[in-house]
Amino acid sequence: MDRIIFHCDLNAFYASVELLSYPHLRDLPVAVCGDPSARHGVILAKNEPAKALGVKTAETIWQAKRKAPDLVLLPAHHDKYRYYSKLAGEIYRRYTDLVEPFGIDESWLDVTGTIHLFGGDPVALAHRLREEMKRELGLSISVGVSFNKVFAKLGSDYKKPDAVTVISRENYRALVWPLPVTDLLFVGRASAKILAAHNIRTIGDLASADREELLRLLGKNGGQLHDYATGAEHSPVRPAGTAPPPKSVGNGLTFRRNLIGEEEIRAGVQMLSERVAMRLRRHEMKCTTVQVAIRSPEFKTVSRQKRTDAPTNVSREIVRCAMALIESCWTWTSPVRAITITAVGLLPEEEAGDQLDLFTPEASEKREKQEKLERAMDELRDKYGRHVIRFASNQTKAAREIRGDQMEEPEEL
């Protein structure tokens, strides 16, 4: 028997949550945006009237205003979004314990084993969920119903807002295959460009393409995308907390002002590296490679990566790698708009043993001591707040200024 998978997408989530506080704005074009003074002046979400005027997520405020001069701009409140996301998850879990979040506003539900408890009709249950969400939270959802996760997501995207779409074995060729290949999960810009060069522009084109040729063009991802297009995807719905370990851990930040000089850039790198190292320890992982992306005020981005001396989740070693990378590709006098630091090549801690170095046998012992110190700092921050303790190297004038200027958390990647 086929599985019954729902994909529930909270429509225009950020904007919908904000409009709960401003119901009189509901019929006007409204967008949620980042703080222009923090140089995050882009559209994060928009409601249906704004969408009808051509406003798009991720475009700049001035671009959106050219399309919709009367656009109402509201600031973002991420604590609110996390709160309502949690409430939505509680509604989903009334019907199944197999609920897999996909970002803050989307979730997959596997109701195969519980559908008989709620009447046995998947479409009726999807509408029931939709009505409960609207009645209890004042939010609307679009629900895709299908036999796998990929088609369920395509279903929730197919008709919005506040709708239910069924993609079955009987109708998926008619509904899914005419769609552009970019609508398929994990078809990014680079993959789409390669596929287009080989006349693969729709999901149907992808489904009829030779699988071996796709593997040659896109590697392992090519075979996976072919499975997605043909309906052969069968990954399980994984409840929160049971997902596979991350393949990378990164944090990026656009600074409120440009950083200039080695001291200021180091202060920014230290702040990001501490976050990356802390998240690695919480995942019980260590990295073998550090990647750095550094962006100028003109939006020129340079990326480099470097292997670590040994698997690590220690911020000091991540800083050392990151600064060496930046020194190799950047001049200290060139202003920096944004930095992203990513730990890749991750290993579980129990598999990440040090390779002994005959010339510096004390390195492993120093690394172990530093890791214990940083774990102790994690415990203090968890108990008393993230600002309770810092390294002395983070008390420089530049570091204090950057922390004072930068009120936002680095973005997790």
Side-chain angles (χ1 to χ4, degrees):
M1 184 181 72
D2 273 338
R3 294 180 300 161
I4 303 170
I5 309 297
F6 289 179
H7 184 269
C8 300
D9 187 351
L10 287 151
N11 302 139
F13 181 50
Y14 287 9
S16 297
V17 170
E18 296 298 340
L19 286 170
L20 294 175
S21 302
Y22 304 98
H24 60 287
L25 299 177
R26 195 171 300 277
D27 295 328
L28 301 177
V30 174
V32 177
C33 64
D35 179 5
S37 68
R39 303 202 297 176
H40 291 287
V42 298
I43 303 299
L44 302 177
K46 73 281 184 189
N47 67 351
E48 286 299 317
K51 182 179 178 181
L53 294 172
V55 176
K56 295 181 180 180
T57 301
E59 70 181 351
T60 62
I61 290 173
W62 68 266
Q63 288 172 320
K65 280 282 196 179
R66 285 177 62 184
K67 301 173 184 176
D70 297 326
L71 184 68
V72 179
L73 299 175
L74 298 176
H77 297 90
H78 294 278
D79 55 339
K80 279 188 181 181
Y81 312 145
R82 287 189 289 268
Y83 173 73
Y84 277 94
S85 177
K86 180 181 177 183
L87 293 181
E90 290 172 0
I91 292 176
Y92 299 148
R93 282 187 287 275
R94 295 173 188 172
Y95 300 98
T96 176
D97 60 338
L98 297 176
V99 177
E100 179 181 345
F102 187 59
I104 197 170
D105 57 348
E106 303 178 39
S107 291
W108 280 291
L109 288 65
D110 187 336
V111 298
T112 311
T114 57
I115 189 71
H116 67 284
L117 300 174
F118 307 103
D121 183 344
V123 177
L125 181 56
H127 282 295
R128 178 172 169 176
L129 265 172
R130 189 175 56 80
E131 292 299 329
E132 286 188 9
M133 195 69 65
K134 194 183 301 181
R135 183 175 62 252
E136 296 183 27
L137 302 186
L139 303 174
S140 71
I141 57 172
S142 293
V143 185
V145 181
S146 193
F147 54 89
N148 68 33
K149 289 165 66 175
V150 169
F151 283 178
K153 176 163 173 55
L154 281 170
S156 69
D157 290 337
Y158 194 83
K159 187 178 180 182
K160 291 183 177 182
D162 200 19
V164 173
T165 300
V166 178
I167 297 180
S168 66
R169 289 200 182 273
E170 291 70 36
N171 72 5
Y172 79 83
R173 292 174 180 83
L175 287 184
V176 170
W177 282 6
L179 298 173
V181 73
T182 49
D183 283 2
L184 197 62
L185 194 64
F186 301 132
V187 176
R189 187 181 305 170
S191 296
K193 186 176 180 180
I194 294 170
L195 293 171
H198 291 79
N199 294 316
I200 298 173
R201 293 182 171 82
T202 68
I203 296 176
D205 293 339
L206 183 62
S208 61
D210 181 74
R211 197 173 194 277
E212 293 303 315
E213 178 66 9
L214 291 172
L215 285 168
R216 187 187 68 79
L217 290 175
L218 300 173
K220 182 180 176 182
N221 192 45
Q224 184 181 55
L225 293 179
H226 188 263
D227 290 345
Y228 288 178
T230 58
E233 190 274 331
H234 50 75
S235 63
V237 172
R238 300 176 183 272
T242 63
K247 295 183 179 180
S248 65
V249 171
N251 277 82
L253 200 56
T254 298
F255 299 97
R256 285 180 179 264
R257 62 176 178 84
N258 294 333
L259 307 185
I260 299 177
E262 181 177 0
E263 184 181 4
E264 289 192 352
I265 293 172
R266 179 180 292 276
V269 166
Q270 286 175 327
M271 180 166 57
L272 291 166
S273 297
E274 285 186 22
R275 296 288 296 178
V276 170
M278 183 172 65
R279 290 174 58 208
L280 282 171
R281 293 190 292 271
R282 287 183 174 165
H283 286 298
E284 298 182 345
M285 307 288 283
K286 292 187 177 183
C287 71
T288 59
T289 301
V290 173
Q291 294 177 343
V292 173
I294 188 164
R295 177 174 291 184
S296 74
E298 295 77 34
F299 292 91
K300 176 188 175 184
T301 301
V302 177
S303 300
R304 295 288 188 274
Q305 68 177 38
K306 174 182 173 65
R307 288 188 64 84
T308 58
D309 294 336
T312 186
N313 53 19
V314 172
S315 65
R316 182 173 295 177
E317 296 185 352
I318 295 173
V319 169
R320 187 183 303 125
C321 277
M323 289 300 291
L325 288 167
I326 293 172
E327 187 172 14
S328 72
C329 67
W330 204 263
T331 56
W332 298 125
T333 54
S334 299
V336 173
R337 173 187 170 88
I339 299 174
T340 298
I341 295 177
T342 307
V344 296
L346 305 191
L347 298 172
E349 288 179 340
E350 64 271 15
E351 297 178 15
D354 276 2
Q355 183 176 356
L356 292 178
D357 187 333
L358 296 176
F359 299 101
T360 56
E362 73 282 359
S364 179
E365 183 179 348
K366 286 183 178 179
R367 186 176 295 111
E368 184 177 347
K369 286 182 178 179
Q370 185 68 21
E371 185 178 334
K372 287 180 179 178
L373 170 63
E374 294 193 18
R375 287 188 186 280
M377 293 171 69
D378 291 345
E379 293 178 8
L380 288 171
R381 287 166 174 159
D382 288 342
K383 189 171 183 179
Y384 298 109
R386 62 187 178 89
H387 298 302
V388 70
I389 189 170
R390 295 190 179 95
F391 288 108
S393 58
N394 279 358
Q395 302 305 312
T396 64
K397 180 182 178 183
R400 289 196 301 271
E401 286 180 354
I402 291 170
R403 284 199 307 272
D405 287 344
Q406 195 67 49
M407 302 305 292
E408 299 184 26
E409 281 287 290
E411 179 185 3
E412 293 185 1
L413 307 171

